Amino acid sequence: METSTSSNPNERCTISKNSSWCSQFQNASNPWMARYVYALIFLAANLLAWAARDYGRGALREMERLEGCNGEKECLGGEGVLRVSLGCFVYFMIMFLSTAGTSKLNETRDSWHSGWWLVKLVLWAAMMIFPFLLPAPLIQIYGEIAHFGAGVFLLIQLISIISFITWLNDCCLSDKYAERCQIHVMLFATIAYVICLVGIILMYIWYAPQPSCLLNIFFITWSLVLLQLMTSVSLHPKVNGGILTPGLMGLYVVFLCWCAIRSEPAGDSCIRKEEPGNRTDWLSIISFIVAILAIVIATFSTGIDSNCFQFRKNDTPAEDDVPYGYGFFHFVFATGAMYFAMLLIGWNSHHVMRKWTIDVGWTSTWVRIVNEWLAVCVYLWMLVAPIIWKSRHADSTREIP
């Protein structure tokens, strides 16, 4: 192996091309491993936003000197979250614009996506600092735009989840695995429905203990109705979608309903939460950590699922094709930056959040409920759309003489 005694780092990397350290930052690395590095960067941004909201006032006194902070009050709390979110959004949008359309390995854009980590880490650090130099009105405008971006992220995540469920069902019902997976399908579907019913019963007990809890009773009961509706449509002879997909979708619907009710602010007798105060118990801390990790995992898993948005599927990709869509991956992370900002501020930049809390407030509640209803509508449309298109195609062929 060649070695170099030159003091120039760039020359040293050029001469010692086989060096793993130089190739880590200069050459293209494994795109599968690159996903995890971006996920860690995204996690770091989440933690910075949380720190700016909960502990920034005591640790970032130097922000008083920044012109855009107006005595630090507009750089911390909810606005601090928006500033960190803006930096993360700009970073991943830069990555999106610079990698969109990459189709082959070992080309320049592939090398940029999978390597050059030192440069990209410096870029990320700069993007974390830059938003704190901006005036407050620009941050408020970004906060309004972030509502839309977070909604786009939820829609992408929803389509990805439904696509995975339908793919799993099609795989189990295919000629190759139909006989082998028949018992497994019935078992998983039964377990899913049992969990759904148990979850609905527990929500009635925990969140609708009194007849006066009309809103929670409506949310829970309507979720049960939607579960029955999805099952009925899927089992219809013309649809013949099986029992597995509505069971799995039922889990998702019940989970969204539970998240919506849990997002309701404390103080109502229907929501059994501790009264607001300065004390934070270990359960709140664990719930917050799990929620942050769930955001990162959801963004990560959605970002690599670009195939569900491709209208033309390529069943036999070439060996030098990229393993996933780089542009789509970074776009999901960019919208995910807006999404975690909305969760940390309760979808309202003027809403004061308690420490170690996330996604709390009536706005958060209704966002979850609308997401639940939208999920059911998208799922039902995916069931009945092939029948509608088939009938229209049959009618059009009859009209042709």
Side-chain angles (χ1 to χ4, degrees):
M1 180 182 297
E2 296 181 355
T3 59
S4 172
T5 58
S6 172
S7 59
N8 190 339
N10 293 330
E11 182 181 354
R12 194 179 302 129
C13 281
T14 303
I15 297 176
S16 182
K17 292 184 178 180
N18 294 328
S19 173
S20 60
W21 176 262
C22 293
S23 63
Q24 176 68 21
F25 298 101
Q26 190 76 2
N27 301 325
S29 58
N30 190 343
W32 291 109
M33 294 301 298
R35 304 174 306 162
Y36 298 100
V37 180
Y38 289 115
L40 290 176
I41 291 175
F42 187 75
L43 174 61
N46 278 259
L47 296 177
L48 284 175
W50 158 71
R53 188 197 71 176
D54 287 358
Y55 297 99
R57 298 187 183 279
L60 302 177
R61 295 294 182 184
E62 292 297 323
M63 285 187 174
E64 296 179 359
R65 303 178 183 179
L66 300 180
E67 294 182 358
C69 290
N70 294 336
E72 92 176 35
K73 64 180 181 179
E74 292 182 348
C75 285
L76 304 174
E79 198 159 299
V81 172
L82 293 177
R83 291 178 185 270
V84 175
S85 171
L86 174 59
C88 185
F89 169 78
V90 173
Y91 172 79
F92 281 107
M93 282 302 296
I94 292 175
M95 295 303 304
F96 163 72
L97 295 175
S98 58
T99 60
T102 306
S103 58
K104 298 297 181 180
L105 297 172
N106 299 323
E107 63 177 85
T108 304
R109 288 178 294 179
D110 171 66
S111 302
W112 168 244
H113 169 81
S114 305
W116 295 90
W117 292 113
L118 183 59
V119 176
K120 288 187 290 190
L121 289 176
V122 172
L123 175 63
W124 178 78
M127 291 300 100
M128 290 296 102
I129 297 173
F130 173 71
F132 287 93
L133 304 177
L134 298 177
L138 290 179
I139 303 301
Q140 293 297 329
I141 294 175
Y142 169 77
E144 297 300 323
I145 299 175
H147 286 82
F148 173 77
V152 173
F153 174 82
L154 288 175
L155 181 61
I156 295 175
Q157 184 187 47
L158 171 61
I159 296 176
S160 177
I161 291 174
I162 296 178
S163 297
F164 171 76
I165 292 175
T166 53
W167 169 84
L168 181 62
N169 183 71
D170 294 339
C171 181
C172 294
L173 297 180
S174 62
D175 297 336
K176 184 177 180 181
Y177 300 103
E179 296 183 0
R180 187 188 311 175
C181 297
Q182 185 175 4
I183 298 178
H184 298 82
V185 168
M186 293 301 299
L187 179 61
F188 287 138
T190 302
I191 293 175
Y193 277 101
V194 169
I195 295 176
C196 289
L197 295 178
V198 171
I200 290 174
I201 293 173
L202 291 178
M203 282 193 292
Y204 274 121
I205 296 174
W206 291 341
Y207 305 125
Q210 304 173 5
S212 59
C213 302
L214 296 179
L215 185 60
N216 289 351
I217 293 175
F218 168 72
F219 287 159
I220 301 170
T221 305
W222 188 245
S223 299
L224 181 61
V225 172
L226 293 177
L227 175 61
Q228 177 62 40
L229 177 62
M230 290 188 297
T231 304
S232 301
V233 173
S234 181
L235 295 179
H236 193 276
K238 291 186 178 180
V239 177
N240 195 21
I243 197 173
L244 180 61
T245 54
L248 296 177
M249 278 299 300
L251 290 176
Y252 185 56
V253 166
V254 171
F255 171 74
L256 289 177
C257 181
W258 177 78
C259 291
I261 297 178
R262 286 288 299 173
S263 296
E264 295 179 6
D268 193 339
S269 60
C270 299
I271 305 298
R272 297 180 179 179
K273 296 180 182 178
E274 61 175 292
E275 293 299 325
N278 295 324
R279 184 177 66 87
T280 302
D281 59 2
W282 62 270
L283 184 59
S284 299
I285 296 176
I286 293 177
S287 300
F288 179 84
I289 294 175
V290 171
I292 290 293
L293 293 177
I295 296 172
V296 177
I297 293 173
T299 308
F300 175 83
S301 60
T302 304
I304 62 177
D305 191 22
S306 58
N307 291 330
C308 66
F309 293 90
Q310 293 179 357
F311 296 100
R312 294 182 179 179
K313 309 289 184 179
N314 187 6
D315 296 331
T316 57
E319 292 183 358
D320 60 343
D321 286 347
V322 294
Y324 54 91
Y326 295 163
F328 178 81
F329 178 83
H330 293 295
F331 179 77
V332 170
F333 272 84
T335 56
M338 295 181 170
Y339 177 65
F340 80 68
M342 293 297 101
L343 296 186
L344 287 174
I345 66 175
W347 297 81
N348 186 353
S349 59
H350 303 290
H351 177 58
V352 179
M353 300 281 289
R354 293 177 54 202
K355 288 184 177 180
W356 295 99
T357 58
I358 188 170
D359 200 22
V360 175
W362 284 112
T363 306
S364 300
T365 298
W366 283 105
V367 167
R368 294 292 186 183
I369 289 297
V370 172
N371 190 28
E372 174 192 349
W373 298 345
L374 181 61
V376 176
C377 292
V378 173
Y379 172 72
L380 293 178
W381 171 251
M382 293 180 69
L383 290 179
V384 302
I387 301 175
I388 296 177
W389 294 122
K390 186 182 298 184
S391 62
R392 288 184 177 181
H393 179 71
D395 294 339
S396 61
T397 53
R398 292 194 195 99
E399 294 176 357
I400 298 177

